[in-house]
Amino acid sequence: MKVLKFGGTSVGSPERMMQVADIIAGVQGKKIVVLSAVSGTTNTLVSMSDYCENEQKDEAKKVAEELHSKYHEFVKNLYKDEAYVKSNIEFIDQKFSDINNLIEERFTEQVAKMFVAQGELISTHLFTEYLSSIGKSAVLLPALDFMALDEYAEPDLKTTKVKLENLLSSLDENVIVTQGYIARNAAGGTDNLRRGGSDYTATIVGAVLKVEEVQIWTDIDGMHNNDPRLVDNTRPLAHLSFEEASELAYFGAKVLHPSCIVPAQMNEVPVRIKNTMDPEAHGTLISNETEPEKVKALAAKDHITAIKIKSNRMVMAYGFLKRVFEVFEKYRTPIDMITTSEIAVSLTIDNSDHLKEIIEEIGKYATVEVDREQAIICIVGDHIASRKGVGTAIFEAMEEIPIRMISYGGSRNNISLLVPHDYMKDSLIKLHKALF
Ligand code: ASP
Ligand code: MG
């Protein structure tokens, strides 16, 4: 069995959906097809939800109406058979009547989650109907029946496995379609795996079922050795280890959801990134294998906050770091980079939702300085930190750039540098020249 995931652009128009049907027909054996929402839809749903939160219901209705008519066009162009057009227009009308009811409701977090879930519910329905309209047997398996989150809103793999295996045991179809991104939370409500979460759905499903391969079909020919939006002459990487791909996904390569490699790696399920626009291209294969001691890729993550914490009494004091980390744990805020000296510790966070509380608590026993709008530049490759000459090449390339923090040797696959956001692009370009 394989899991095939198609992103928003891959199902972004009726023509693209037809092409997805061709691609899955070309893959042998049983497959679970995970779909994102049609591109643009989730953003539109988020904007509706934001309007409702700000009590601008009329604005929300206007946006809903525009999206509604877009889907009418979509349906008319997707099906040849009039009966399919008719029944799917009815489906769309029903969906938008549900959306309008959500707009009327009192706004809550739960309502927000219901809004953003609609995109995948629509795309999977339309696609399964399309397969049936061209005479292909397929079944739609609702993700809300098996994708489970725990009390911390993280995927609950055990429950997901039990539920999914149970449901699959009674299905004979070779093609099983399901929604990416959406999941059921511990309280039983509709929830999601955060933006870009369809990749995560695919690797979770692949991991719990220990499938042969997870394919992530997207609009680029794999992960590149640098950010193609910022740097010229980047190239796709044929092969990455799980560790390398994980570091890249987390530190800014936007191709994959930052957490999605973890379940695949835990269960040793290879992940292949493929290009829907160019299905013959090799793409990137992510597996257990590594190409030793090579600088593989660069990536950057911006909007990072750096925090410097200086203890008045840190010299030879133990227990200080423990107190610091406990504050971050209390506010469930992950720390990305960290460096220490005898009298201070600097660290970075991506999520600054609780920055104010964190500063207040630590400020009771230490001096805290905050620098916003920093960027982490991440250099990835197997054993790069121990490879001769890499350090020199990096520092020479970064000669003109103020480096705020360095993390070297924390992982054998990664060297990270923190620079002010304004130097991010320049750093990527200079390092690209020096390292590739
Ligand atoms: N539709 C969701 C989003 O736009 C999930 C995904 O596409 O992966 O974030
Ligand atoms: Mg994506």
Side-chain angles (χ1 to χ4, degrees), residues 5 196 199 255:
K5 178 260 170 176
D199 299 335
V255 182

Side-chain angles (χ1 to χ4, degrees), residues 36-37 42 120 181 195-199:
S36 290
T42 311
E120 275 73 11
Y181 179 57
R195 295 305 305 272
S198 296
D199 299 335

Side-chain angles (χ1 to χ4, degrees), residues 44-99:
T44 308
L45 293 166
V46 169
S47 76
M48 277 178 217
S49 168
D50 289 347
Y51 279 132
C52 291
E53 188 173 10
N54 297 323
E55 285 166 37
Q56 294 172 282
K57 288 187 193 269
D58 288 342
E59 294 297 325
K61 278 184 198 154
K62 218 168 89 193
V63 178
E65 220 173 279
E66 280 165 26
L67 191 64
H68 189 173
S69 46
K70 271 197 199 157
Y71 274 104
H72 270 206
E73 283 308 301
F74 199 104
V75 165
K76 285 179 196 153
N77 293 317
L78 182 60
Y79 308 101
K80 286 206 182 69
D81 187 331
E82 268 313 307
Y84 277 94
V85 174
K86 187 166 175 284
S87 63
N88 284 285
I89 292 279
E90 278 166 17
F91 164 78
I92 291 294
D93 290 347
Q94 181 56 52
K95 273 283 155 211
F96 278 86
S97 143
D98 296 346
I99 288 172

Side-chain angles (χ1 to χ4, degrees), residues 208-236:
V208 301
L209 299 175
K210 291 208 193 327
V211 298
E212 193 185 323
E213 181 170 289
V214 174
Q215 298 182 352
I216 308 275
W217 287 82
T218 177
D219 51 7
I220 183 167
D221 49 359
M223 271 183 149
H224 277 224
N225 66 345
N226 204 334
D227 190 333
R229 292 161 307 173
L230 300 176
V231 181
D232 293 333
N233 301 319
T234 64
R235 54 177 183 78

Side-chain angles (χ1 to χ4, degrees), residues 379-399:
I379 304 147
V380 165
D382 181 60
H383 278 100
I384 50 164
S386 56
R387 204 182 133 211
K388 273 194 198 142
V390 173
T392 317
I394 290 172
F395 288 116
E396 271 174 19
M398 298 289 284
E399 201 177 14

